[in-house]
Amino acid sequence: MTDALLDVRDLTKHYGGVSASDDVTFSVADGEIFGVIGPNGAGKTTLFNLITGFEKPDRGTIVFGGRDITGLRPDQRNRAGIARTFQIVKPFPRMTVEENVITGALSRTKGVAEARERAGHCIELVGLVEKRHALGRELSTGQRKRLEMARAMATQPKLLLLDEVTGGVDQPSIPGLIDLVRRLRDDGVSLLVIEHNMRVIMELADRVMFLNLGRKLAEGRPSEVSRHPDVIRLYLGSGHA
Amino acid sequence: MSAVSNRRVEGVPLPLVLVGIAALIAFPLIFTSPTPQHILILTLLFGAMGTAWNILGGYAGQISIGHGVYFGIGAYTVGFFYANFLVSPWLTWPLALILSVAAAIVIGLPTFRLRGHYFILASVFIVDAIFIIVSNWEAVGAAIGIEYPIYREGDLAGSLWALQYHDSKLPYYYSALGLFVASVFVSWRIQFMPLSYYLRAIREDQEAAQSLGIDVTRYKLVALIISALITTLCGIFYAQYVLYIEPAATISIIISLEIAFIAILGGIGTLWGPVLGAFIIVPLTEILRQKFSGAIAPGFGSGDASLLLQLEYLLEGGGGNLDILAYGLIVMLIARFQPNGVLGFLRRLD
Ligand SMILES: Nc1ncnc2c1ncn2[C@@H]1O[C@H](COP(=O)(O)OP(=O)(O)O)[C@@H](O)[C@H]1O
Ligand SMILES: [Mg+2]
């Protein structure tokens, strides 16, 4: 446990009466793809916001690479090696794809020229080369998700958090996105992946955690978790499989 | 030669830029009467400030209607020490810049937490509050302001030391041109620096910017400080030029609005937009002012320049002058309906 890349303990967050995260404890190992599933409102995005520093927990600790990062700002956590995408994508609309990704690359590089080079690799990795000079706002939803991944990868993270990669994306684009996530891992990045689509997560994740109403109800290999009675009752039973 | 003729500076061919600079250098030698020279001096001054404002307002998207504070710090610092102790502006300009940075930090740190309209409102209320304080502060002349002792010796060395010239506007003209070129150069240069990516990212989406490791407060502050320093230099120039400082013409909302208005009208977030804006607005308002006195005039805000007092007059049904409200309304309408300004409009025709 102590040599985990990410170690989350007793993470708790309430919004008024709603408990969006309730004593959540888990860890992600180096090189792992860790899936987070659960119905709408389960607290998946909240968990991401807590880990990336966009929300402050009421209680609990987040240790990353052996260092307690619970008190750090989002930008400091990025420089520590955590990058993310957003469920509702946030490309820079009036900047080109290349400029978007250069902005990410500047997190690690000194000059714009070097950042442009690094950005080129990331744009290639996500398959947006021919859209390089398009503006962020001119992209389709799938392309925006790819852009966010390229931009996040450009910051050279050790851990990448992907919030609903296939959400809002047309069916034919999904296999390409799954393939992309695997390639990111092959690039040496560990992944924490929120995914609505059960088939996608079964195919992708090494381990899965199931959340409901902010609580962790199950954790394990995808095949085990999908057989868990709570998961079947709350999730698979309701037509998501 | 083709290496020069093919290059463009933000869409404008380099030869045209060079011709423009040459024309500005030649202008006062061709138009030797004081009025056109005066109009162009003000145009260059406000062009420099609109450009500086645009670094914060355009590149970083933080719309400040409070740059009169930094303009006033420049004017009042050199003015106060010269009027009271005959200390040369050469000795006090560093102090003005230090005060400017200090003010930028004190104002920026708390207000940069505010988003959108709240940031704009905060900037308005801060400049208005400082306006009211200075208007009631006897040591700096209160509402009447500071009248400069005129340096009357005819010798060049003395004139340079006092930074006052009474025989010719040329030294003022070329100082204003220097400020203008320097401001445009800084604004142009930033576009090739990591800073410009940070600022645009902050403007486009603050959370996404943070997620990419950008310390948003820090870079907003960097943008504000660069912007404030140039504006303060312009305030110093202004004081030396008019030799009379009053709150309404320096720390007022109307001056703050005008600085923003120039950039917004011309084309926010672009290099040439504020330049274009200044060359449209300043000559226009200056000519109008000379034809019909009392109209909005750069650097010569008429009547009571406090927004709060204006609103009070308005509510009491009195006849306070409504420059400020009209200006504010125009700024909001452009921001709403023509966000790319005149430059964006021209580009669409292109
Ligand atoms: N900023 C917020 N303010 C108030 N309630 C919130 C906020 N963010 C999330 N919530 C609530 O917390 C719960 C978990 O939301 P979320 O983390 O977005 O779920 P998921 O991503 O799993 O769909 C929901 O009930 C949601 O309404
Ligand atoms: Mg969510």
Side-chain angles (χ1 to χ4, degrees), chain B:
Chain B
M1 191 60 210
S2 74
V4 174
S5 61
N6 289 335
R7 284 185 63 180
R8 284 173 166 261
V9 183
E10 280 299 295
V12 176
L14 183 56
L16 194 60
V17 175
L18 298 176
V19 166
I21 294 174
L24 287 174
I25 292 172
F27 181 89
L29 307 176
I30 298 163
F31 296 89
T32 49
S33 58
T35 303
Q37 291 188 356
H38 173 68
I39 291 178
L40 220 64
I41 286 170
L42 289 183
T43 304
L44 293 169
L45 179 70
F46 277 83
M49 288 200 284
T51 299
W53 180 92
N54 186 50
I55 293 169
L56 178 70
Y59 293 173
Q62 307 300 307
I63 307 288
S64 149
I65 310 291
H67 265 44
V69 171
Y70 309 105
F71 188 60
I73 286 174
Y76 270 92
T77 308
V78 295
F80 175 79
F81 284 102
Y82 191 76
N84 289 293
F85 314 108
L86 288 179
V87 179
S88 164
W90 288 110
L91 299 178
T92 49
W93 68 261
L95 176 64
L97 294 186
I98 290 167
L99 290 174
S100 178
V101 172
I105 293 169
V106 169
I107 293 172
L109 277 182
T111 56
F112 280 143
R113 297 156 159 268
L114 305 170
R115 302 268 182 115
H117 298 99
Y118 294 104
F119 177 78
I120 301 178
L121 282 177
S123 72
V124 171
F125 285 120
I126 289 168
V127 73
D128 211 32
I130 295 176
F131 172 85
I132 291 171
I133 292 168
V134 172
S135 300
N136 291 288
W137 187 3
E138 292 301 332
V140 296
I144 293 161
I146 296 174
E147 186 129 28
Y148 259 66
I150 306 293
Y151 181 82
R152 292 196 187 282
E153 311 294 315
D155 65 308
L156 181 64
S159 233
L160 269 176
W161 184 242
L163 265 180
Q164 291 185 21
Y165 313 94
H166 304 294
D167 302 331
S168 157
K169 280 193 190 294
L170 286 187
Y172 288 118
Y173 180 89
Y174 288 112
S175 307
L177 181 58
L179 276 174
F180 172 77
V181 171
S183 182
V184 173
F185 179 78
V186 168
S187 176
W188 172 75
R189 193 66 196 78
I190 284 175
Q191 299 195 312
F192 305 100
M193 293 164 52
L195 179 63
S196 105
Y197 290 83
Y198 301 149
L199 298 184
R200 284 185 293 160
I202 289 168
R203 174 190 71 196
E204 301 281 285
D205 195 306
Q206 196 161 302
E207 290 195 334
Q210 280 183 294
S211 80
L212 301 176
I214 297 168
D215 183 342
V216 295
T217 306
R218 176 175 166 187
Y219 288 108
K220 283 178 185 175
L221 206 54
V222 169
L224 173 60
I225 288 171
I226 294 171
S227 182
L229 285 173
I230 296 171
T231 309
T232 296
L233 288 174
C234 291
I236 294 170
F237 169 85
Y238 173 82
Q240 298 304 122
Y241 179 52
V242 257
L243 300 174
Y244 175 63
I245 308 157
E246 55 170 339
T250 51
I251 322 170
S252 61
I253 291 180
I254 194 121
I255 294 298
S256 306
L257 264 173
E258 185 158 359
I259 294 169
F261 186 54
I262 280 165
I264 293 171
L265 178 89
I268 193 171
T270 61
L271 178 66
W272 296 116
V275 173
L276 190 65
F279 274 83
I280 295 171
I281 295 288
V282 180
L284 202 69
T285 51
E286 198 53 23
I287 289 163
L288 283 176
R289 190 183 70 86
Q290 288 172 6
K291 287 246 185 318
F292 317 94
S293 58
I296 304 159
F300 298 95
S302 48
D304 217 322
S306 161
L307 179 67
L308 292 176
L309 296 178
Q310 289 288 342
L311 285 172
E312 206 175 297
Y313 292 148
L314 191 67
L315 293 174
E316 286 167 359
N321 77 61
L322 300 178
D323 296 3
I324 297 178
L325 298 178
Y327 238 146
L329 195 66
I330 296 170
V331 167
M332 285 195 299
L333 287 176
I334 293 178
R336 174 72 184 77
F337 295 107
Q338 192 55 263
N340 297 324
V342 175
L343 200 64
F345 183 70
L346 292 177
R347 284 210 173 121
R348 244 180 301 153
L349 295 181
D350 203 18

Side-chain angles (χ1 to χ4, degrees), chain A residues 39-46 87-88 163-164 194 196:
Chain A
N40 261 328
K44 306 183 293 294
T45 297
T46 299
Q87 178 172 4
I88 297 156
D163 197 343
E164 307 252 4
I194 294 178
H196 227 91

Side-chain angles (χ1 to χ4, degrees), chain A residues 55-241:
Chain A
E55 296 283 357
K56 295 260 160 292
D58 301 336
R59 195 152 53 78
T61 55
I62 303 156
V63 175
F64 179 72
R67 171 184 174 203
D68 188 336
I69 59 163
T70 317
L72 297 188
R73 292 191 311 265
D75 54 294
Q76 294 171 318
R77 297 194 199 194
N78 174 264
R79 290 197 294 279
I82 299 179
R84 72 172 294 179
T85 65
F86 294 89
Q87 178 172 4
I88 297 156
V89 284
K90 296 171 176 290
F92 303 130
R94 289 174 296 175
M95 293 168 77
T96 66
V97 165
E98 187 177 55
E99 289 171 335
N100 265 272
V101 183
I102 287 174
T103 307
L106 283 167
S107 171
R108 298 276 166 210
T109 54
K110 281 279 165 281
V112 174
E114 196 188 335
R116 178 171 287 119
E117 202 169 303
R118 166 89 197 147
H121 291 302
C122 297
I123 291 170
E124 214 175 287
L125 184 70
V126 303
L128 279 180
V129 176
E130 71 283 11
K131 288 284 171 189
R132 202 184 184 103
H133 300 296
L135 294 178
R137 63 167 174 225
E138 295 166 351
L139 303 181
S140 69
T141 306
Q143 288 166 340
R144 285 172 199 216
K145 300 247 169 187
R146 285 171 184 271
L147 172 58
E148 281 213 339
M149 282 195 249
R151 204 171 59 176
M153 281 299 283
T155 69
Q156 296 177 287
K158 294 200 225 38
L159 177 69
L160 177 58
L161 283 66
L162 301 176
D163 197 343
E164 307 252 4
V165 174
T166 66
V169 175
D170 57 311
Q171 279 299 323
S173 309
I174 290 178
L177 284 168
I178 295 175
D179 209 46
L180 173 56
V181 174
R182 288 220 183 85
R183 256 179 293 144
L184 300 185
R185 192 238 305 257
D186 295 342
D187 243 37
V189 178
S190 307
L191 289 125
L192 191 57
V193 183
I194 294 178
E195 184 51 68
H196 227 91
N197 188 319
M198 198 63 189
R199 285 237 302 280
V200 171
I201 211 74
M202 297 285 286
E203 231 181 288
L204 209 53
D206 302 312
R207 275 190 309 141
V208 179
M209 163 169 81
F210 177 79
L211 293 180
N212 187 45
L213 300 176
R215 292 195 73 90
K216 178 168 97 176
L217 294 189
E219 183 185 337
R221 289 207 307 277
S223 53
E224 297 164 6
V225 172
S226 67
R227 271 185 266 123
H228 192 284
D230 284 342
V231 178
I232 292 171
R233 182 170 54 84
L234 288 162
Y235 199 55
L236 302 179
S238 57
H240 276 290

